[in-house]
Amino acid sequence: MSYAWPRYYSLPPFFTIQPVMQTQKKQLQLWCDLVLAYTRSKNIHMIDLTEAEDSELFNNKKIERKLSRQSIVIVLEYLIERGNAKWVDKTKEKIQIVWRKPLEWANIIYKWATDNGFINQICTVYELREGDMTQNEEFFGLDIQVFMQALSKLEQKGKAKVFQSESTNESGVKFFA
Amino acid sequence: MSFFEKLHFQTNKNLPQLFSTELQLHHCSDASIGYTGKQKYEKKATLILTSHRLLWTTLKKKKVSGEYIPLSKVNEIQDSKSRKSKIKKIVFTTFIKNTKAKKKKSSKKTDDLVVTLSFKSPQNEFLEKFHKALKEKVWASKPKKETMGLLGTTARSHNTNKPSLTIGISGLLAREEKKKIQTTNTLSQAFTDLDSLMQSAKEMVQISEKFALRYKRAKEEEEKEKLWKEQQKKNLGMGIGSGIGSGIGSGIGSGIGSGIGSGIGSGIGSGIGIGSGMGIGSGMGIGIPRSSGISSGRNTRMSSGFGSGIGVGMPTTNQRTQIPTSSKNVPNQTPSTSDLLEFDEILFSVGIKNPVTKKGVSSNQYYKKLAKEIATFVAKFIEKMGGMITVIDTYCLFNRARGTELISPEDLVKACKQFQKLGLGLKLHKFDSGVLVIRNDFEDDSTIAKKILKLIQTHGPITPFETAMMLKIPINLAKEYLLTSEREKYLCRDDSLDLVFYENFFLIENYDYEKLENFLKNPKLSIEKSNIQMSSPKSNKKQVTKKTNNSKKKISKKNDDWELL
């Protein structure tokens, strides 16, 4: 399945970080939107920089243009500024794409819980993430870390509580009204 | 007066006409010649001793006249009574019958003319040479004799008194030495003649000014064609050159045995070549024949010349100028209008007379005047260059037009900085990359940016090289144009392989991607096929397709693109 690229993706200037400030800003915005949309559709949460150069996101083989490593970093840094990404560790080799903020995820999970009558009920995280019930949900297969962040947001709001079961290493969550 | 024969002079020059084998040996300007007799005769004159004659010339009201005695008619030089080192008087007897003279004791034949030469300054040399000339009797010897071997063909430098007869290796060595001495003398004398050269150069400028007037009149009458011609000229890139050549010839003459004299012969022509193939020819050369000691054993005088040319050409042209050589005088043809303007250009380029120099002018004044001169010079072709010319190009062209009194780059820049202060309609502009240009006052970045945008909209994505080709401007300037347009946010760039500029689709709402995609699919077609003519302030002229030669054909197409701007 080939991704439906936006039109500017096939134009060479898109792959050169523009020197003129105003143009550059706009260009980076477009890049961010593209990265987020792409990772979302492909359900990618992590980008490894070394692999990124070859990925079709940053490398348009058809027009023989690609973002250089430096340019990719610039784009990602912009993403981080916008709050849509985070370096996994200090080495800055991997970046976590957050195309949805944890808060958003939290709301979605909670909504689902409410819709499906799981209020005041306990679910395991496994069930939520990879269970049969939630197969059609957006958060199905969501990255565990993101999931946990979302749950902790809910916790902060007081809408859920996360706890570890003693017997297994599984985590469970109870939703509150 | 009637005893002596009248001296003939060279045409248009106050120089005596010498015979083919006659060589000048000595001359003395403050002398007087006279003879006594029934009618005392004394005349102040410039005396010239040659191998064949004794000439004297007088200058009255800028008109020169003269007479001579052939040496064959000179009998004997009387020994001065006291062998003083300073000889101020030379008396000699002649074979000329002095029909008016009384009988004289000192003369052998009572009715022979006795001539007295008197000098203000001592002229020992003159006497020596006179003796030698009489001895050698060049006028009497036949050509065969003169070319015969080693004898009598070595012209003597007045510095040496060695016998002409030398044989063997020592003879060869001696001759070589003489040659060396001779050449150094010739050279030193040759350079002093540069003054006369400069005089002639001034005359050349006057001639070119005359032409300028004439052509100006003709030009005014033919305005319509002129407009078209300007059009054409943009394309030709001004392949115009002009040169004023000057030749300094050094003549090598056969030796006569007496010292060095100098005669000046000159021919006048002036060489101006025009690159479109029409030549209005005239050449200038000044030959200065010398009877110097370089023994070539030949009878005839040889003139060798070398020329120096001042050429003026515009940068982007394939048509080269003709370097002038001394050519025959070509009668002035009535120039066709196609060459009128080109010739006009030459004259303007060349005719920077009275160039501003630092002498006698204070520093501030100098730069002001220089700025004005540069402004008038640049104004002539700045429009054709697209309203902007790099300082480098100005430096080259300006100095070429000046010929002498060149200016340094620093001076040029300093003068250019004065433009705005003096309100000359031009300004010095520095691009971010450091490139300095002179441009029109009213032009600024946004006008250029818009021009380039239009260009891209019609031609699609463009490289600096293509821009330079289309606009007929130097490539660094083309790049500056593109960068300016980019800065004004009309363009964006693709820097992956080569630098290419696109219309800035990032900042355009609802950008028409279709068009750009088409351009990308068919890159070459877009440039060749576009024949869009957009109105611009300059394009009131019609594009006439009259083509006189192939180069114009190719360029006229490109001209369409320039018309966009």
Side-chain angles (χ1 to χ4, degrees):
Chain A
M1 50 167 187
S2 63
Y3 183 75
W5 299 104
R7 291 190 101 153
Y8 48 79
Y9 175 76
S10 9
L11 299 179
F14 192 55
F15 292 85
T16 309
I17 299 295
Q18 299 297 317
V20 177
M21 257 309 121
Q22 203 172 332
T23 320
Q24 191 188 98
K25 248 189 185 175
K26 183 71 195 195
Q27 183 192 23
L28 289 174
Q29 273 178 25
L30 293 175
W31 263 116
C32 288
D33 293 343
L34 180 61
V35 169
L36 291 175
Y38 181 81
T39 51
R40 182 173 173 168
S41 80
K42 302 275 180 179
N43 222 352
I44 297 169
H45 293 277
M46 206 73 76
I47 293 180
D48 192 330
L49 267 181
T50 44
E51 293 168 3
E53 280 182 83
D54 293 324
S55 88
E56 61 170 353
L57 172 59
F58 296 116
N59 185 344
N60 185 343
K61 290 193 178 145
K62 199 175 170 192
I63 60 166
E64 293 172 350
R65 294 284 188 276
K66 64 177 190 183
L67 275 186
S68 67
R69 179 147 180 157
Q70 236 181 357
S71 310
I72 295 175
V73 170
I74 295 173
V75 170
L76 296 176
E77 303 254 300
Y78 191 74
L79 263 177
I80 293 169
E81 265 179 48
R82 278 197 7 183
N84 286 108
K86 237 188 286 187
W87 289 114
V88 170
D89 52 21
K90 284 185 185 173
T91 60
K92 296 200 176 179
E93 286 293 317
K94 279 189 173 182
I95 194 166
Q96 182 190 30
I97 303 295
V98 181
W99 39 270
R100 248 209 191 115
K101 295 200 175 140
L103 193 59
E104 292 169 11
W105 284 122
N107 290 333
I108 292 169
I109 295 167
Y110 188 76
K111 188 167 176 272
W112 173 85
T114 325
D115 292 344
N116 289 285
F118 276 96
I119 302 296
N120 292 325
Q121 294 231 11
I122 297 172
C123 302
T124 61
V125 172
Y126 175 78
E127 277 176 344
L128 287 171
R129 278 186 68 242
E130 292 166 62
D132 302 329
M133 303 179 289
T134 60
Q135 270 185 358
N136 294 325
E137 294 304 315
E138 280 182 49
F139 52 81
F140 186 81
L142 182 63
D143 184 68
I144 183 73
Q145 284 187 344
V146 181
F147 201 85
M148 298 313 289
Q149 284 167 8
L151 291 178
S152 62
K153 288 279 181 191
L154 279 175
E155 248 184 322
Q156 283 170 20
K157 281 194 172 179
K159 296 201 169 173
K161 174 115 198 243
V162 182
F163 49 88
Q164 290 275 61
S165 91
E166 289 162 7
S167 52
T168 60
N169 280 329
E170 284 202 24
S171 316
V173 59
K174 185 176 182 181
F175 296 101
F176 301 120
Chain B
M1 287 285 268
S2 53
F3 294 120
F4 308 120
E5 291 167 42
K6 200 174 178 188
L7 183 60
H8 294 289
F9 287 89
Q10 295 181 20
T11 47
N12 300 328
K13 282 278 177 191
N14 295 339
L15 300 166
Q17 187 81 44
L18 301 178
F19 303 137
S20 58
T21 54
E22 191 176 3
L23 288 166
Q24 197 169 302
L25 301 175
H26 197 81
H27 86 289
C28 175
S29 45
D30 54 350
S32 67
I33 186 164
Y35 57 83
T36 52
K38 193 175 185 182
Q39 283 176 340
K40 196 177 183 185
Y41 172 82
E42 185 148 356
K43 198 175 192 181
K44 281 186 186 171
T46 300
L47 271 178
I48 301 173
L49 174 69
T50 72
S51 51
H52 288 54
R53 314 176 271 177
L54 178 66
L55 334 158
W56 57 92
T57 60
T58 50
L59 190 68
K60 263 184 190 171
K61 293 178 185 175
K62 289 193 180 177
K63 209 185 176 188
V64 73
S65 63
E67 293 169 313
Y68 67 89
I69 302 176
L71 290 181
S72 52
K73 291 202 174 172
V74 173
N75 188 2
E76 200 180 11
I77 302 173
Q78 286 181 350
D79 276 342
S80 57
K81 289 167 187 176
S82 56
R83 282 213 172 258
K84 287 181 187 171
S85 54
K86 294 182 184 178
I87 293 171
K88 285 192 174 180
K89 219 174 189 183
I90 298 176
V91 186
F92 58 90
T93 54
T94 65
F95 293 117
I96 302 167
K97 303 276 180 182
N98 187 353
T99 49
K100 293 177 185 174
K102 280 182 183 171
K103 288 188 181 178
K104 277 275 165 180
K105 290 178 189 175
S106 54
S107 58
K108 286 179 181 177
K109 294 182 183 177
T110 52
D111 51 354
D112 276 353
L113 197 63
V114 177
V115 179
T116 311
L117 307 170
S118 9
F119 312 99
K120 285 182 184 167
S121 52
Q123 291 287 330
N124 297 41
E125 290 173 22
F126 195 95
L127 184 62
E128 273 181 38
K129 287 183 190 172
F130 203 1
H131 276 293
K132 282 178 194 169
L134 288 174
K135 226 193 232 177
E136 288 181 349
K137 296 192 180 172
V138 181
W139 64 87
S141 57
K142 295 170 189 175
K144 282 183 193 172
K145 276 191 190 172
E146 287 180 14
T147 56
M148 232 164 56
L150 312 163
L151 302 174
T153 55
T154 312
R156 220 87 32 92
S157 150
H158 65 281
N159 288 328
T160 65
N161 285 319
K162 293 179 188 171
S164 57
L165 188 64
T166 49
I167 48 173
I169 293 174
S170 59
L172 286 166
L173 290 171
R175 232 174 297 125
E176 285 306 312
E177 243 192 79
K178 280 178 211 164
K179 273 187 200 172
K180 271 185 212 167
I181 297 166
Q182 223 44 57
T183 41
T184 45
N185 284 333
T186 315
L187 283 171
S188 53
Q189 288 215 8
F191 282 111
T192 56
D193 287 318
L194 273 176
D195 292 330
S196 60
L197 197 74
M198 290 311 292
Q199 184 63 37
S200 310
K202 279 181 194 167
E203 287 169 23
M204 284 320 305
V205 176
Q206 282 171 8
I207 292 173
S208 61
E209 280 169 28
K210 263 192 234 164
F211 285 138
L213 280 172
R214 199 186 295 180
Y215 287 134
K216 244 183 183 171
R217 281 179 225 140
K219 196 171 99 179
E220 278 157 16
E221 292 166 11
E222 317 224 27
E223 267 203 70
K224 279 185 190 172
E225 275 194 271
K226 175 190 166 186
L227 286 173
W228 169 64
K229 289 302 169 185
E230 273 191 10
Q231 186 71 42
Q232 286 282 352
K233 263 224 295 269
K234 277 184 217 166
N235 309 331
L236 292 176
M238 252 61 75
I240 298 160
S242 76
I244 299 177
S246 54
I248 301 172
S250 57
I252 304 165
S254 60
I256 310 293
S258 34
I260 301 167
S262 61
I264 300 174
S266 63
I268 302 178
S270 50
I272 300 174
I274 300 174
S276 70
M278 268 256 298
I280 298 176
S282 31
M284 176 168 97
I286 300 173
I288 303 167
R290 301 190 177 290
S291 67
S292 53
I294 300 168
S295 151
S296 57
R298 271 171 247 178
N299 190 25
T300 55
R301 201 178 296 134
M302 287 194 308
S303 265
S304 63
F306 59 90
S308 65
I310 304 165
V312 173
M314 300 286 269
T316 57
T317 177
N318 289 327
Q319 294 181 328
R320 286 286 152 224
T321 67
Q322 296 171 18
I323 306 222
T325 53
S326 49
S327 54
K328 303 173 202 168
N329 260 321
V330 176
N332 283 333
Q333 312 154 18
T334 320
S336 72
T337 49
S338 63
D339 300 304
L340 264 178
L341 280 159
E342 294 183 26
F343 194 72
D344 207 16
E345 291 282 342
I346 300 170
L347 293 177
F348 280 131
S349 310
V350 172
I352 296 183
K353 35 164 184 159
N354 305 322
V356 178
T357 62
K358 274 190 178 163
K359 296 178 199 170
V361 169
S362 78
S363 160
N364 272 336
Q365 280 265 301
Y366 168 66
Y367 285 116
K368 274 185 188 168
K369 285 189 177 176
L370 190 61
K372 285 177 190 165
E373 198 176 295
I374 296 169
T376 39
F377 177 73
V378 164
K380 287 163 199 160
F381 44 76
I382 199 169
E383 283 311 318
K384 292 155 196 165
M385 299 285 281
M388 204 188 295
I389 180 169
T390 60
V391 162
I392 296 168
D393 288 340
T394 316
Y395 171 74
C396 294
L397 293 167
F398 190 64
N399 271 337
R400 284 183 110 171
R402 280 191 136 206
T404 56
E405 305 288 349
L406 308 181
I407 56 167
S408 69
E410 294 88 13
D411 282 343
L412 178 66
V413 172
K414 271 190 202 168
C416 289
K417 286 182 181 165
Q418 307 264 341
F419 279 154
Q420 289 208 291
K421 238 194 266 176
L422 300 171
L424 294 168
L426 300 172
K427 65 180 174 193
L428 185 68
H429 176 79
K430 189 173 187 177
F431 285 109
D432 285 346
S433 56
V435 173
L436 282 168
V437 292
I438 298 173
R439 77 215 284 200
N440 282 321
D441 236 342
F442 52 81
E443 288 230 5
D444 62 349
D445 282 353
S446 59
T447 42
I448 289 178
K450 283 175 189 163
K451 283 181 188 178
I452 297 293
L453 177 65
K454 277 185 198 168
L455 191 67
I456 285 200
Q457 282 171 338
T458 46
H459 288 281
I462 196 167
T463 62
F465 178 73
E466 283 165 17
T467 318
M469 294 298 281
M470 282 198 274
L471 301 182
K472 294 260 170 286
I473 53 178
I475 196 168
N476 55 352
L477 205 58
K479 193 173 179 187
E480 288 305 326
Y481 281 22
L482 290 165
L483 291 174
T484 309
S485 198
E486 187 191 31
R487 228 175 299 130
E488 298 287 318
K489 292 150 199 153
Y490 293 117
L491 305 185
C492 63
R493 65 161 72 183
D494 165 36
D495 216 347
S496 312
L497 302 166
D498 308 318
L499 186 58
V500 184
F501 285 91
Y502 293 68
E503 201 179 351
N504 193 352
F505 52 83
F506 292 112
L507 296 178
I508 299 175
E509 298 282 331
N510 308 317
Y511 180 70
D512 180 11
Y513 287 101
E514 228 21 88
K515 203 181 178 190
L516 183 53
E517 279 157 16
N518 279 334
F519 278 132
L520 291 176
K521 282 177 199 168
N522 310 309
K524 286 181 187 176
L525 292 171
S526 62
I527 293 172
E528 285 175 3
K529 280 191 176 177
S530 70
N531 267 320
I532 302 167
Q533 293 186 19
M534 295 168 71
S535 65
S536 69
K538 290 179 282 179
S539 68
N540 290 326
K541 307 141 197 170
K542 291 178 188 171
Q543 292 186 18
V544 183
T545 54
K546 195 174 175 184
K547 290 159 191 171
T548 52
N549 56 41
N550 283 334
S551 60
K552 287 184 186 176
K553 272 186 193 167
K554 287 177 198 167
I555 297 164
S556 67
K557 224 182 196 174
K558 307 274 184 184
N559 184 49
D560 294 344
D561 307 322
W562 181 239
E563 271 307 291
L564 296 174
L565 310 177

